[in-house]
Amino acid sequence: MAVAEVDVVVVGAGFAGLAASRDLVAAGRSVIVVEARDRVGGRVRNQAIGDGKVVEVGGQWVGPTQDKVLALAEDVGVETFPTYDAGRRVLHFGGRRGTYKGTIPRINPLVIADVGRAQARLESLAKKVPLEAPWTAARAEAWDAVTFETWLRRNTLTGAGRMLLALGVEAVFACEPGDVSLLHVLFYAHSAGSFQMAIDTGGGAQQDRFVGGSQLVCDKLADALGSDAVRLEAPVRRIRVLADRVTVESDNGAWTCRRVIVSLPPLLAGRIDYDPQLPPWRNQLTQRTPMGSVIKCNAIYDEPFWRSEGLSGQATGDGEGARVVFDNSPPDGTPGILLGFLEGDEARRLGRARPEERRKAVLDSFVRYFGPRAGHPVDFVELDWQAEQWSGGCYGTLFGPNVWTRYGSALREPVGPVHWAGTETATVWSGYMDGAVSSGQRAAAEVLAALG
């Protein structure tokens, strides 16, 4: 195969890879972006639903302090609009349905006090985790040795309190509390500003959405780079380093360069063949970094009927099906769309079911929250991120016990001319689109400094 030469090859055309490429091109460097999929965007994806409108089946929300991705979107001309948040929220818990305003549901005051006390303790501990190096926290060894589930059992007094906090973990990480270490949850909370910021709508991580869908930002970034600079359907199989040159080999071309940025999740980055092979500490890291489990389900209705009933479209519950629900309608409110997440064990269970069984489970949960009309959408759009070959899962990488403290230092450290990006490597808003953008910008700065 013919081998072209550029200054830098960027592996992955998600927010991280595109942000890195943009900065490199602006600095006068020649760049090729190599992407395995037939589209750009990575873990963000738009799906057309007619009339020029889209529904987002991947990452979609932005919020206060997510300055990197918001600035990038503004630069390419993509606006935001607020997530629908008017009206009452629904909680279906312990077999009973109730509605409430604000962030605190009307349930047993003892349970609310239990959750409040545990969360306050969590927020306090999170502030003690250094964002640049979580493994250096004074109690890092102890925090990394236990799962978040263990911590929950030790720091809550009621089963209902534990369940509510577990639902929060499912919503943020797409996993079960036993899948991640306490240190990982503390780092994540500090990275987002607080655990509350990560779960809130107004004033939090779910406050706003992009007009035209989040993938539109990536599409515009790719368009600015030019079609010759972005190669799709080109999964990278091998990265070879020889003296001062790197050869990147894909299914759709090969390139030599001076530096390469790999913007994939550690799990997928570890599946590339490196010559010479990666050092053990980096290789071992990629063996211990699975992805979250989530299926994103959108039920489309002629109108957002819940709004006229005084409901925000936001709901949560402890039953089967979708345990976290949002109003996902376009800016003009038509059509009405309810978005439900299957996460953690529920995603694993229903991911094995037939599509019609999964649809029924999701719609049954919508009926519990919003009544019989929710059981009759005009369309149903889902994406099982567990089955996505070039993601391996969503929302992001899960760090189980003893991963941060044993291997965390390898997460961002370059290996010769190979640099690492991706939202998992971010220190602020790690796991979010904003973290992806900042990671790409950081990697680009590393490369530019190395090239001189």
Side-chain angles (χ1 to χ4, degrees):
M1 102 181 22
V3 179
E5 184 163 351
V6 292
D7 290 328
V8 185
V9 172
V10 176
V11 182
F15 268 105
L18 293 171
S21 302
R22 186 174 191 261
D23 284 2
L24 291 167
V25 170
R29 298 296 179 176
S30 57
V31 177
I32 285 288
V33 186
V34 188
E35 168 59 47
R37 297 176 175 86
D38 61 359
R39 61 173 180 84
V40 301
R43 283 172 266 176
V44 301
R45 180 176 171 181
N46 290 349
Q47 183 159 328
I49 56 172
D51 296 328
K53 297 179 180 180
V54 301
V55 65
E56 291 150 303
V57 291
Q60 66 178 69
W61 283 296
V62 289
T65 75
Q66 295 187 4
D67 302 327
K68 301 292 187 182
V69 68
L70 288 170
L72 198 61
E74 184 178 5
D75 284 349
V76 298
V78 178
E79 299 178 344
T80 62
F81 70 102
T83 301
Y84 191 78
D85 197 26
R88 303 178 70 82
R89 302 180 184 186
V90 176
L91 176 69
H92 196 284
F93 197 68
R96 300 180 63 182
R97 177 187 181 275
T99 63
Y100 64 99
K101 281 196 171 184
T103 59
I104 302 176
R106 289 185 178 179
I107 56 176
N108 188 325
L110 292 177
V111 173
I112 294 300
D114 190 27
V115 171
R117 187 184 64 83
Q119 187 173 335
R121 172 71 171 156
L122 181 72
E123 306 284 22
S124 176
L125 296 178
K127 294 176 183 177
K128 299 176 182 179
V129 176
L131 293 179
E132 293 285 344
W135 56 92
T136 65
R139 297 185 60 194
E141 288 283 344
W143 293 339
D144 207 30
V146 298
T147 67
F148 188 63
E149 180 177 13
T150 296
W151 184 87
L152 268 184
R153 292 185 179 279
R154 293 174 179 172
N155 288 270
T156 53
L157 301 175
T158 65
R162 283 192 295 276
M163 173 59 78
L164 285 173
L165 287 168
L167 288 173
V169 169
E170 285 186 23
V172 172
F173 296 94
C175 74
E176 301 299 319
D179 293 334
V180 286
S181 77
L182 171 59
L183 180 60
H184 186 57
V185 174
L186 296 178
F187 162 74
Y188 227 74
H190 193 186
S191 178
S194 68
F195 189 74
Q196 192 64 41
M197 280 280 285
I199 61 177
D200 271 350
T201 303
Q206 286 70 234
Q207 176 176 286
D208 298 303
R209 296 166 57 198
F210 289 115
V211 177
S214 50
Q215 189 184 326
L216 181 60
V217 182
C218 292
D219 290 341
K220 287 179 173 288
L221 289 170
D223 289 344
L225 292 173
S227 58
D228 290 340
V230 182
R231 303 299 173 90
L232 301 178
E233 297 182 277
V236 170
R237 305 299 184 180
R238 194 179 192 196
I239 295 176
R240 293 190 298 155
V241 179
L242 182 62
D244 62 346
R245 284 292 182 268
V246 184
T247 301
V248 178
E249 302 174 4
S250 82
D251 288 357
N252 193 20
W255 299 266
T256 61
C257 57
R258 295 172 62 190
R259 295 274 158 170
V260 59
I261 296 174
V262 179
S263 67
L264 312 178
L267 174 71
L268 298 185
R271 293 177 179 172
I272 297 173
D273 179 23
Y274 298 86
D275 180 15
Q277 67 180 3
L278 296 176
W281 47 92
R282 173 70 196 190
N283 188 35
Q284 291 268 302
L285 168 71
T286 64
Q287 296 177 33
R288 291 165 168 80
T289 47
M291 301 292 285
S293 302
V294 63
I295 306 172
K296 196 173 182 185
C297 306
N298 290 273
I300 303 173
Y301 306 86
D302 289 329
E303 61 177 354
F305 61 86
W306 52 92
R307 295 185 183 183
S308 62
E309 297 171 6
L311 300 176
S312 68
Q314 296 177 43
T316 190
D318 61 350
E320 294 184 348
R323 294 177 177 173
V324 178
V325 182
F326 285 87
D327 182 323
N328 207 34
S329 309
D332 64 1
T334 304
I337 302 176
L338 287 175
L339 161 62
F341 290 98
L342 304 175
E343 298 163 317
D345 284 346
E346 196 68 350
R348 297 160 192 157
R349 181 180 74 86
L350 289 172
R352 297 184 177 95
R354 296 194 306 272
E356 57 271 24
E357 294 174 345
R358 187 163 52 249
R359 171 179 168 140
K360 182 179 185 303
V362 171
L363 294 181
D364 284 351
S365 64
F366 287 178
V367 169
R368 289 199 302 271
Y369 300 133
F370 302 106
R373 290 185 67 181
H376 303 284
V378 296
D379 200 0
F380 187 86
V381 177
E382 68 171 11
L383 182 57
D384 183 352
W385 284 93
Q386 303 167 112
E388 287 288 291
Q389 180 181 6
W390 305 117
S391 295
C394 269
Y395 312 113
T397 295
L398 308 177
F399 283 62
N402 298 320
V403 176
W404 270 117
T405 49
R406 272 59 176 181
Y407 303 101
S409 61
L411 186 61
R412 285 187 300 275
E413 182 181 1
V415 177
V418 182
H419 299 255
W420 313 107
T423 188
E424 286 83 5
T425 70
T427 57
V428 176
W429 285 110
S430 177
Y432 292 78
M433 290 183 285
D434 189 74
V437 172
S438 67
S439 78
Q441 294 171 341
R442 184 259 310 151
E446 288 177 1
V447 167
L448 291 171
L451 294 177

